[in-house]
Amino acid sequence: MKYAEVAVNSPVSRSAFTYAIPARLSVHVGQAVWVPFGSRILQGIVVELSDQPSVEATKEIADLVTDTPVLSSRQTELARWISERYLSPPFDALALMLPPGFERQAIAYIQLADSQMDLSSLTPEQRQVLHIIRAKKKASLPELEKAIGRRKAGQVIDQLLDHRLVTKTLELERVKIKPKTVPYVKLVAPTGRKEGVEAEKARLHKRRAYKQAQLLEFLTEQTQPVSVNELGKRFTHASAAVKALESRNLVTVERVRVRRDPLSHLSVPPSPAPLLTPSQQAACESIHNVIVREGSQCGRAPVFLLFGVTGSGKTEVYLRALTQIISAGKRGICLVPEIALTGQTVERFSSRFPGRVAVLHSGLSAGEQFDEWQWIKEGNCDVVIGPRSALFAPLTDLGLIIIDEEHEWTYKQEDKSPRYHARDVAIKLAQLSGAAVILGSATPDIHSFHKAQQGEYHLVELKERITPRGYSPLPEVSIVDLREELKAGNTGSLSRSLLAAIKEALTQGEQAILFLNRRGTATFVRCRSCGFVFRCPRCSIALTHHSAQKRLICHRCRYSVPVTQSCPQCFRHHLRFLGVGTQRVEEEVSHFFPEARLLRWDRDVITRRYAHEELLNDFRNHKADVLIGTQMVAKGLDLPQVTLAGIISADTGLNFPDFRSGEHTFQLLCQVAGRAGRGIKAGKVIIQTYSPDNYTVQAAARHDYLGFYEKEVDYRRRYNYPPFSRLIRLVYSHIHDELCRREAERVHRLILDERARDDMIDFDVIGPVPAFAFRARGRYRWQLFLRSPAPARILSRVTLPQGWNIDVDPVGTV
Ligand code: ADP
Ligand code: ZN
């Protein structure tokens, strides 16, 4: 093999590049290497080897980063799949699997060379650069770029190199994360014998070195080396005494690697498995039977959709399935939708598998991430828990991947490339490893349920809720019509029934959760008298308020109307720009119930590490009566003392200009409702809405997933939305609105031309339209949607310049 395809760590590298392998290096797939790229040296990962170069002129690989491959062949294969499916640069996909802190840069340093050249012929810039280098003895390329500009620096340095006035060397950026080591003290061998120690002690006493004598005595009594830290706890001035003993050659001090354990603050007593309920038993058996029948074959991956109502004991089914695969010598991964929820899951899993659980997420310190990663790689744990990125833990013998609350949108990486969906990657990884996948939810993603209906996934159901009262019904839900509240003169955000229910819960010493869907704050306009919402006559999605233009704009087709004063339906002046914040609700609750203890949970209050866990623990331990929160409170919390769940407004989500707004709202409503009544007492749910007849609200109030699914699937089929088609979202961002729009229109035309050339039927291009977050961080964003059974095909023939983001299978269209 003389050539290597290398995925290079550079934003401009959209595909792998061919490099020649110098004879002195032995290069393998999955290995990290240094390669010249433009004027720089960058890290890259070898993804393929070949005898023939795929291009004529190739550069040589400069060096190896590590002697052995950092990635396994399975990992490189998974990365290739991710980069092909999500149209992302290959390095981005590979980087998901690299050890924490692995990515480093090589920095070029410029030094003066021994030269007798006459400097008078140099340009002022060349002299300036030489001057800087002389002053610093050696200057880094970034320093010089900063001094005279990036372009200029490159040119001038090349000229000086040509004149042999300077030399260039490469140095690696400092290692960001290192293993943590602590010093341990060990007796030097001969003094380990009793008489030797006695003689040494006597000598020390003679010199009045009593402390050293004491330490020496203590060390002879130990069977294992003792850490300096430990000695410090027992003896004053221990480290000075250790140093003295060391200089007398009586002890040696060695640094020993220790693990920074992110779970060390947890103390969970091991707990035995409870007796399964009959439905759990049946679920476990059917999962087990399929795994035995189909599993453990590479290329196959049985996928289970565990459809169980809230509180039906899905976690116990996960734990049993894990126990089984662990006893077969395999390991598992359990994904949770939010870092904030790892705590609850880690506790439950640790008490079943004490000491065998690892956790991986970005909330850990860099050192903890590094150690956890190593700990997993060395095969010390059976289960890894974490958000979507935990999928890339270096686990061997993978037997099972669990995705809890599989409908959650957080499983899609949206903010950066690769824009992957953890569910789809999990299924691919399972296929490559011969593992099984369990997707669990009370409100499955429409796509997942559709696959289960088609027979692609095995549907496993848990229909009853388990509480300390035994099987019990889901909480009773009532719908409050907010138009009636207004008629009765109540302009606050809490209806009379909700106020009464809060009062009742407080009097009984129970807890309440109030949920607010903040997505879409102040974006759509609604009449508070008749409930009218401005919608696009063509697309029927809600119009979005653009205050700069004073217009309401359709984010699908760009239809727009000016903002008016009165409602076009009832002509009254009760138009409201929607947006009630958690803070407002908190103020209102404390106004009505000054004695109630309130907790607000949203991104504004959660700033510190562990803050989520502390807040949740406070609430669980009943240090507060009412929890007011956004999305977070809708995600799988098990809080037995909560008897009331109130939804401040079901409409925020419903009127969101997205084809999935119905699905999303249904899921949120059911999940929030699912928080109430999980303990000894029955629960109650109140949904406040201006659209009491909406089928989403109605179905949620009946806990009727199937009813909702049927309606939703009809709608998707009729309008050709996923799962009946696939979408690709193309977003272009630029600081100038006009340029941004024009570029979006240019690409739109290119795509239309391609479509015409190929005579593609079944291929829609939607847009260009402004993105929902139209102006984000000072940049305007315009977007296009491609919709077809295979929309990626057209993009292989259209080149998108820098600035375009590609999102394959976006979770939403706003
Ligand atoms: P889900 O994840 O389906 O919402 P959980 O797994 O949180 O449900 O279970 C709900 C409650 O029922 C938890 O408090 C759990 O401890 C309890 N539970 C689950 N299975 C059993 C069982 N077999 N016996 C007794 N309690 C159970
Ligand atoms: Zn429209």
Side-chain angles (χ1 to χ4, degrees):
M1 298 294 171
K2 296 186 205 75
Y3 298 91
E5 294 294 314
V6 179
V8 183
N9 185 7
S10 156
V12 297
S13 145
R14 291 223 176 151
S15 57
F17 288 83
T18 307
Y19 286 89
I21 302 173
R24 68 195 155 87
L25 298 180
S26 125
V27 170
H28 309 275
V29 169
Q31 200 157 21
V33 290
W34 293 105
V35 291
F37 194 79
S39 62
R40 329 178 117 219
I41 294 276
L42 297 178
Q43 269 184 344
I45 305 284
V46 177
V47 291
E48 219 177 300
L49 297 172
S50 64
D51 285 318
Q52 298 292 324
S54 57
V55 289
E56 249 166 51
T58 57
K59 292 184 182 174
E60 276 194 354
I61 290 176
D63 208 350
L64 307 178
V65 179
T66 51
D67 288 338
T68 51
V70 267
L71 299 180
S72 67
S73 57
R74 183 172 301 151
Q75 286 175 311
T76 42
E77 196 169 341
L78 184 65
R80 180 201 303 265
W81 182 86
I82 290 173
S83 122
E84 280 169 9
R85 172 162 179 142
Y86 298 102
L87 304 172
S88 78
F91 190 87
D92 289 354
L94 291 158
L96 294 169
M97 297 159 211
L98 291 176
F102 188 84
E103 281 176 64
R104 282 160 79 196
Q105 292 181 338
I107 299 172
Y109 281 91
I110 318 295
Q111 277 150 302
L112 292 185
D114 275 335
S115 159
Q116 309 300 323
M117 192 180 143
D118 172 22
L119 302 185
S120 57
S121 63
L122 296 181
T123 65
E125 270 155 354
Q126 291 171 340
R127 259 181 270 169
Q128 186 192 351
V129 167
L130 278 182
H131 186 74
I132 298 173
I133 298 171
R134 185 170 297 127
K136 309 194 99 170
K137 293 218 169 60
K138 77 178 183 187
S140 71
L141 183 60
E143 278 172 327
L144 294 171
E145 285 177 346
K146 215 169 155 193
I148 64 165
R150 190 168 174 162
R151 251 243 181 82
K152 257 273 100 74
Q155 286 168 0
V156 172
I157 290 165
D158 281 346
Q159 294 155 1
L160 294 175
L161 282 168
D162 284 348
H163 288 312
R164 296 180 193 280
L165 284 168
V166 296
T167 57
K168 185 163 131 180
T169 50
L170 284 174
E171 281 176 36
L172 272 187
E173 181 186 20
R174 208 167 48 83
V175 179
K176 289 173 208 140
I177 313 172
K178 288 190 188 130
K180 180 177 176 182
T181 58
V182 296
Y184 270 77
V185 186
K186 215 170 100 184
L187 278 182
V188 171
T191 50
R193 293 196 308 268
K194 201 75 184 158
E195 58 279 21
V197 175
E198 288 309 323
E200 291 297 345
K201 260 171 55 190
R203 229 170 289 157
L204 290 169
H205 272 281
K206 219 183 261 167
R207 296 195 178 108
R208 298 174 177 243
Y210 303 119
K211 180 73 65 181
Q212 293 174 40
Q214 233 180 345
L215 264 180
L216 197 64
E217 164 124 46
F218 175 76
L219 287 170
T220 45
E221 287 159 3
Q222 309 305 310
T223 48
Q224 277 171 346
V226 186
S227 74
V228 174
N229 190 11
E230 180 65 36
L231 289 175
K233 284 186 197 149
R234 291 169 185 271
F235 303 96
T236 52
H237 308 296
S239 62
V242 167
K243 277 219 179 75
L245 288 174
E246 198 183 4
S247 67
R248 290 179 204 283
N249 287 328
L250 294 172
V251 301
T252 54
V253 178
E254 277 164 33
R255 298 198 73 89
V256 175
R257 201 178 135 192
V258 290
R259 172 177 173 225
R260 286 156 285 197
D261 178 4
L263 302 183
S264 59
H265 69 289
L266 260 188
S267 59
V268 241
S271 72
L275 218 57
L276 292 179
T277 63
S279 356
Q280 283 173 326
Q281 182 74 39
C284 288
E285 273 168 21
S286 59
I287 291 174
H288 182 65
N289 291 342
V290 174
I291 291 183
V292 168
R293 202 172 62 226
E294 290 184 16
S296 306
Q297 279 170 276
C298 284
R300 299 280 300 275
V303 180
F304 301 92
L305 179 59
L306 179 59
F307 171 39
V309 297
T310 51
S312 57
K314 293 185 283 293
T315 312
E316 192 53 44
V317 175
Y318 304 152
L319 289 168
R320 293 300 170 104
L322 273 172
T323 307
Q324 269 168 352
I325 66 116
I326 291 170
S327 66
K330 299 205 160 196
R331 306 164 203 272
I333 295 174
C334 178
L335 299 188
V336 293
E338 281 266 348
I339 294 177
L341 292 178
T342 48
Q344 177 179 307
T345 306
V346 164
E347 261 179 50
R348 281 202 192 172
F349 281 52
S350 296
S351 73
R352 188 67 52 85
F353 309 112
R356 305 293 297 169
V357 173
V359 55
L360 261 190
H361 59 74
S362 60
L364 305 180
S365 73
E368 285 171 340
Q369 285 180 48
F370 182 83
D371 288 357
E372 208 66 358
W373 198 92
Q374 294 295 343
W375 200 67
I376 296 167
K377 187 165 172 94
E378 286 156 17
N380 295 314
C381 73
D382 294 324
V383 190
V384 178
I385 297 171
R388 57 176 188 251
S389 57
L391 211 44
F392 306 108
L395 205 62
T396 52
D397 305 315
L398 184 62
L400 179 64
I401 305 172
I402 295 158
I403 303 190
D404 192 23
E405 312 290 349
E406 66 91 33
H407 61 276
E408 285 287 350
W409 292 24
T410 46
Y411 285 122
K412 175 89 195 267
Q413 173 153 300
E414 289 213 281
D415 51 342
K416 58 176 186 241
S417 155
R419 295 181 167 75
Y420 68 94
H421 199 302
R423 192 197 310 123
D424 299 326
V425 176
I427 293 172
K428 182 67 196 178
L429 174 60
Q431 279 171 2
L432 293 174
S433 330
V437 179
I438 301 179
L439 309 173
S441 176
T443 51
D445 190 280
I446 294 287
H447 210 159
S448 301
F449 203 78
H450 186 69
K451 288 215 159 145
Q453 298 289 49
Q454 307 275 307
E456 258 184 78
Y457 298 168
H458 303 270
L459 186 63
V460 180
E461 287 187 73
L462 293 175
K463 292 183 177 159
E464 300 102 346
R465 175 180 259 208
I466 310 168
T467 69
R469 295 161 276 147
Y471 279 154
S472 44
L474 288 162
E476 170 209 328
V477 182
S478 39
I479 299 176
V480 171
D481 184 345
L482 287 174
R483 292 170 302 188
E484 296 297 324
E485 289 300 304
L486 199 76
K487 277 186 200 147
N490 177 7
T491 56
S493 53
L494 307 170
S495 64
R496 292 160 297 173
S497 338
L498 186 52
L499 283 171
I502 297 174
K503 185 167 181 189
E504 169 75 13
L506 290 175
T507 333
Q508 299 291 321
E510 296 156 10
Q511 291 182 302
I513 286 184
L514 298 180
F515 168 78
L516 209 83
N517 191 354
R518 235 199 341 200
R519 223 174 124 101
T521 296
T523 52
F524 70 101
V525 181
R526 181 178 56 209
C527 173
R528 291 197 37 132
S529 290
C530 70
F532 175 84
V533 171
F534 284 87
R535 288 176 184 281
C536 173
R538 290 182 281 205
C539 312
S540 101
I541 58 172
L543 296 178
T544 301
H545 180 221
H546 282 239
S547 55
Q549 287 106 317
K550 295 202 178 57
R551 292 186 81 81
L552 302 171
I553 302 176
C554 171
H555 277 199
R556 184 69 31 79
C557 73
R558 275 160 76 185
Y559 166 89
S560 79
V561 287
V563 174
T564 52
Q565 290 296 307
S566 57
C567 170
Q569 189 166 280
C570 72
F571 306 109
R572 266 176 271 186
H573 288 239
H574 277 311
L575 292 185
R576 250 317 271 280
F577 296 83
L578 271 306
V580 177
T582 34
Q583 232 159 331
R584 227 285 315 265
V585 174
E586 187 183 18
E587 283 159 19
E588 287 184 34
V589 177
S590 69
H591 167 78
F592 285 106
F593 308 102
E595 74 292 354
R597 296 163 303 165
L598 312 183
L599 259 186
R600 184 154 61 83
W601 191 6
D602 54 29
R603 294 203 192 274
D604 304 335
V605 260
I606 300 298
T607 47
R608 277 175 314 109
R609 235 179 129 205
Y610 298 128
H612 284 300
E613 268 162 60
E614 284 164 28
L615 190 144
L616 258 184
N617 279 335
D618 283 355
F619 192 63
R620 190 171 281 138
N621 298 330
H622 212 146
K623 289 190 188 148
D625 307 302
V626 183
L627 177 66
I628 302 159
T630 52
Q631 319 278 348
M632 236 91 78
V633 305
K635 289 180 186 176
L637 298 174
D638 189 25
L639 302 162
Q641 297 184 69
V642 172
T643 56
L644 171 67
I647 289 139
I648 303 297
S649 163
D651 309 315
T652 347
L654 277 182
N655 293 306
F656 210 60
D658 180 34
F659 78 95
R660 288 187 65 188
S661 66
E663 175 182 4
H664 192 43
T665 304
F666 178 81
Q667 287 161 348
L668 276 173
L669 297 181
C670 289
Q671 293 292 341
V672 177
R675 298 313 113 208
R678 295 167 74 103
I680 298 176
K681 292 188 184 164
K684 180 173 181 169
V685 181
I686 292 179
I687 300 180
Q688 305 192 139
T689 175
Y690 284 96
S691 329
D693 302 323
N694 183 292
Y695 77 84
T696 304
V697 176
Q698 293 272 340
R702 290 192 310 265
H703 306 287
D704 180 13
Y705 178 83
L706 289 178
F708 171 76
Y709 172 81
E710 294 298 339
K711 275 241 157 84
E712 186 66 18
V713 149
D714 272 351
Y715 155 74
R716 304 277 181 95
R717 191 180 286 118
R718 199 162 30 181
Y719 288 95
N720 195 25
Y721 277 122
F724 301 99
S725 65
R726 286 184 63 192
L727 289 176
I728 290 183
R729 173 190 192 185
L730 302 174
V731 183
Y732 186 72
S733 68
H734 199 280
I735 47 171
H736 295 295
D737 184 18
E738 187 54 27
L739 290 181
C740 189
R741 200 203 69 214
R742 263 192 262 152
E743 168 64 11
E745 281 168 355
R746 186 187 70 86
V747 167
H748 184 222
R749 278 193 305 274
L750 279 181
I751 291 172
L752 290 184
D753 290 349
E754 274 305 327
R755 184 180 68 172
R757 185 165 313 148
D758 226 33
D759 202 14
M760 281 190 225
I761 42 162
D762 239 19
F763 190 104
D764 295 332
V765 191
I766 307 168
V769 288
F772 179 74
F774 178 48
R775 248 198 108 179
R777 276 169 269 130
R779 296 174 81 84
Y780 291 89
R781 298 169 354 123
W782 282 74
Q783 58 187 4
L784 284 169
F785 289 93
L786 312 181
R787 178 170 61 184
S788 115
R793 221 157 34 107
I794 211 162
L795 288 180
S796 57
R797 280 169 289 157
V798 176
T799 357
L800 297 176
Q802 288 257 318
W804 279 98
N805 278 333
I806 305 175
D807 190 352
V808 178
D809 302 334
V811 286
T813 54
V814 290

